[in-house]
Amino acid sequence: MDNLHMKGSWRAAERDERLEQDLIDYVNYRISGGSLGSIAEDTEMADTITGPVFDSGAARAYRQELGGVLTDIRQLEELPGFSPELLERLAAAVRRLDSGKLRALAPQTTRHNRVDPYVNGPQCLDMILEEIRQAQRYIHLSVMLFFNDHSGNRIASELLHALQRGVEVRIMVNYTVTALGYGSNLEVGKFSEIAERLEQAGARLRDTFHSYYSAAEWAEKRKVLKSQGIPESILFLQDKVQEDVEVTGLNVIDHRKFMVIDGTTSIIGSLNIGDQYTFGTPIQESATAQIDGRPLGVPAREEEWHDGCFRIRGAAAQPLNAVFQSRWLLLGGDHFDLEAPFYHPAVNYDFGEEECTLFVSFPGNPVNLIQQYYLDLITYAAEETIIVNPYLIDQAFWDRLGEVGPEHACHLSICNPLEVNDHPTNKAAVRSNMYVPFCNGVSFYDYSLTERFSHWKITYDRRSCAVFHGSYNINERSACHDFELGMLVKGEAFADKVKHMIDFDLGVSRKISDKHEFFKHPWLHPSTYLNKVTQNYT
């Protein structure tokens, strides 16, 4: 920071951390293509200042070289077209913006975290149970599906023990989608039975199925929430959902999967709670491959899915807790103060070496930052870059990948369960769009060789030692209709661990070598049209 002063900084002699963060948030959002005009007043001045010098392509390329997000005020001075003088003028304009709304929209970065990766049911389940056992203050859990099966009840049992110890427990689950069960078994969908036991023990629960209101309902509810002191920086999020949704909210899903414990520990990933994801059956272990003493492998049973999560110790729990609070309050949950010592304890948050940046998206978001991260990741790939995702159905992703030339395409690899997949049109989407990228040098690995489905959603970017993991699928649902969340983790040692895990998956997958497995002329294949018709809803 002193370097800025020596240059004749735009900053006053006394550091203004809030203004610095507002500048970073504004520029990150601006680079991603987001417009604040529809949600904030006085944005014209800031846009006018940056407009004449702003080169979107150069800015995106610069940011991706840094890992996909700007995290430090010093990085703004190196942004193409920017200067200390421009930042001084921009700072005056950004002071007029709503900091709370900027925080809700832009990526939020914390440092000195310790992140540990887990993959496959037994590892994830054991870790989750242990963290619940160690909880002393509170547990905030948000998950789309919470099944009434063996592992679901094991987790519920530990939550009950935590409640008996006096731990506060708040849970958000989609009761209605969970009720559909799996494998033609409606019994496992009865989360309501688990919810009843938890509520009787003192837990607070909200059903995320009710994420949309009629215009009249929201107008009245908004007044009530406003009178209760809910800030505009939270209320406007639901405003955007209301504006975006057509007719009913049936197509709006809270797809996020995360947990915050005691304000210092968080768990984030792509797995729901249930035997498909958090199974206890031993995996088919590799004889040699392991991470931190935990063996790598594939699920032993066909009905068990390959999936994973991160455990994070450190300040990353705080922006996650803010995301939880905003959804909780909008769903009518009780009020709690994020900054109170109980929820934000005064402890040493120097847990490790990893920098963590939280990305969120929601229906009606003026720009989907997670989608933009993926698009920039493939556009500017310069070293080994790997994308692991179960569903590849977002046409914006495919259109961009088709435009990526050989100089970038040669660095890209994709791993997807092409043949063993619970989505009826994933295979059609891949075969209809992969021909040109494959010819340009993109590698494709089919995890289906394991005869198992991989639900893992993770990326690896060697150039910046960055890994992105969360709930986001590369499909139209995640891009347009769902509440999503992911964490970008930067750190060389951590990235190496995750790369080792991904390499194992690539090693047990089938690397496609024949371009004719993809459609050179997609319009000749009926499955292409089925994918087009259903991609917005399935």
Side-chain angles (χ1 to χ4, degrees):
M1 293 297 176
D2 291 340
N3 186 41
L4 289 175
H5 290 299
M6 291 188 292
K7 288 185 176 182
S9 168
W10 54 271
R11 291 191 298 111
E14 195 168 315
R15 182 178 178 187
D16 188 339
E17 293 186 5
R18 176 173 173 174
L19 179 57
E20 289 180 2
Q21 188 58 56
D22 286 350
L23 276 166
I24 293 169
D25 290 346
Y26 168 80
V27 174
N28 268 318
Y29 202 68
R30 180 90 162 82
I31 292 174
S32 295
S35 170
L36 296 169
S38 63
I39 58 169
E41 299 177 354
D42 301 324
T43 62
E44 184 176 347
M45 180 184 293
D47 293 344
T48 300
I49 291 170
T50 57
V53 301
F54 189 74
D55 182 328
S56 177
R60 286 172 180 261
Y62 167 75
R63 186 175 67 174
Q64 194 57 45
E65 187 176 347
L66 298 174
V69 63
L70 300 175
T71 62
D72 191 292
I73 196 67
R74 289 168 292 191
Q75 295 169 343
L76 299 189
E77 286 196 338
E78 304 300 325
L79 192 67
F82 277 49
S83 66
E85 292 73 26
L86 183 142
L87 284 172
E88 184 175 358
R89 291 189 292 124
L90 185 59
V94 168
R95 282 184 186 276
R96 304 169 65 179
L97 301 180
D98 186 325
S99 292
K101 289 183 178 180
L102 280 172
R103 297 287 186 281
L105 291 171
Q108 297 301 304
T109 299
T110 57
R111 297 175 176 82
H112 308 299
N113 297 282
R114 174 180 173 176
V115 189
D116 298 301
Y118 294 82
V119 70
N120 286 318
Q123 295 181 15
C124 297
L125 178 60
D126 289 347
M127 181 273 292
I128 292 170
L129 292 172
E130 182 59 28
E131 291 303 327
I132 295 174
R133 290 186 194 109
Q134 294 182 20
Q136 299 177 358
R137 297 168 179 248
Y138 67 92
I139 296 169
H140 289 164
L141 169 63
S142 177
V143 66
M144 177 184 171
L145 306 172
F146 194 138
F147 288 117
N148 187 9
D149 54 17
H150 181 68
S151 64
N153 277 280
R154 288 188 65 186
I155 290 174
S157 178
E158 286 301 334
L159 290 170
L160 288 169
H161 290 321
L163 287 161
Q164 291 167 3
R165 298 195 306 271
V167 175
E168 286 187 2
V169 175
R170 295 180 177 89
I171 302 174
M172 294 188 290
V173 175
N174 191 316
Y175 288 43
T176 303
V177 178
T178 298
L180 299 175
Y182 57 80
S184 302
N185 185 353
L186 295 179
E187 291 299 313
V188 299
K190 294 181 177 179
F191 173 72
S192 57
E193 296 180 356
I194 291 177
E196 183 177 358
R197 299 201 304 272
L198 290 170
E199 286 180 321
Q200 288 177 351
R204 302 177 177 97
L205 291 94
R206 306 306 297 178
D207 183 356
T208 62
F209 180 75
H210 305 291
S211 295
Y212 170 80
Y213 309 93
S214 69
E217 287 173 336
W218 174 237
E220 183 60 31
K221 186 175 181 66
R222 198 185 200 286
K223 289 179 183 178
V224 172
L225 293 173
K226 184 78 171 177
S227 69
Q228 294 173 346
I230 308 301
E232 280 294 322
S233 58
I234 291 178
L235 293 174
F236 93 98
L237 297 172
Q238 188 65 32
D239 289 339
K240 302 310 294 181
V241 174
Q242 296 293 129
E243 292 171 12
D244 183 68
V245 174
E246 297 180 3
V247 186
T248 74
L250 294 178
N251 205 30
V252 176
I253 298 293
D254 191 330
H255 194 242
R256 297 165 178 168
K257 306 126 182 1
F258 68 99
M259 184 185 297
V260 178
I261 301 172
D262 292 345
T264 56
T265 297
S266 49
I267 300 170
I268 181 173
S270 48
L271 47 78
N272 292 293
I273 293 175
D275 290 344
Q276 283 181 313
Y277 312 87
T278 49
F279 55 89
T281 311
I283 60 173
Q284 298 175 6
E285 295 182 6
S286 165
T288 56
Q290 60 176 243
I291 293 293
D292 296 333
R294 299 185 294 273
L296 301 179
V298 300
R301 298 179 179 177
E302 183 179 344
E303 63 269 21
E304 296 165 345
W305 291 1
H306 180 60
D307 211 338
C309 63
F310 293 165
R311 180 187 63 191
I312 309 174
R313 310 266 197 214
Q318 296 308 314
L320 270 171
N321 218 17
V323 172
F324 183 93
Q325 184 201 45
S326 66
R327 290 287 292 135
W328 182 258
L329 293 176
L330 288 169
L331 290 170
D334 66 301
H335 295 220
F336 60 93
D337 182 0
L338 277 178
E339 298 305 320
F342 182 84
Y343 296 102
H344 191 168
V347 299
N348 181 3
Y349 283 90
D350 190 353
F351 283 81
E353 303 297 324
E354 281 75 60
E355 177 185 275
C356 294
T357 301
L358 178 66
F359 286 68
V360 298
S361 65
F362 54 92
N365 196 330
V367 61
N368 189 316
L369 296 185
I370 303 178
Q371 182 188 48
Q372 293 303 314
Y373 170 78
Y374 274 97
L375 296 180
D376 287 346
L377 180 70
I378 60 178
T379 301
Y380 303 108
E383 295 185 39
E384 185 175 21
T385 303
I386 308 171
I387 296 174
V388 179
N389 203 275
Y391 313 118
L392 302 172
I393 313 171
D394 180 7
Q395 196 56 47
F397 173 84
W398 285 118
D399 289 346
R400 181 67 60 85
L401 192 62
E403 298 168 355
V404 175
E407 69 277 15
H408 297 294
C410 66
H411 300 294
L412 290 166
S413 297
I414 296 175
C415 185
N416 170 261
L418 188 61
E419 301 288 344
V420 179
N421 200 293
D422 72 331
H423 195 291
T425 66
N426 175 77
K427 183 177 179 180
V430 172
R431 298 186 76 190
S432 297
N433 291 281
M434 190 63 201
Y435 184 86
V436 171
F438 184 85
C439 292
N440 283 336
V442 178
S443 298
F444 193 94
Y445 294 81
D446 181 8
Y447 187 81
S448 303
L449 185 65
T450 64
E451 299 182 352
R452 299 293 179 266
F453 175 57
S454 175
H455 192 251
W456 204 23
K457 317 170 205 292
I458 196 163
T459 71
Y460 168 78
D461 178 4
R462 179 179 178 181
R463 175 171 59 174
S464 56
C465 297
V467 174
F468 185 81
H469 180 38
S471 60
Y472 191 85
N473 293 311
I474 301 178
N475 65 4
E476 294 283 344
R477 285 217 52 83
S478 287
C480 301
H481 304 298
D482 291 352
F483 295 84
E484 301 285 5
L485 173 149
M487 192 73 77
L488 180 69
V489 182
K490 292 178 66 177
E492 185 174 0
F494 176 79
D496 286 346
K497 285 184 182 180
V498 173
K499 174 61 162 53
H500 189 51
M501 299 167 91
I502 294 175
D503 280 345
F504 179 84
D505 280 11
L506 300 185
V508 297
S509 299
R510 179 178 69 94
K511 184 177 182 181
I512 292 180
S513 58
D514 184 357
K515 64 183 180 182
H516 296 103
E517 291 199 37
F518 307 115
F519 300 152
K520 184 177 182 179
H521 304 294
W523 63 87
L524 296 177
H525 302 272
S527 63
T528 299
Y529 301 100
L530 175 62
N531 174 55
K532 290 293 184 183
V533 169
T534 62
Q535 64 185 6
N536 289 328
Y537 301 98
T538 52

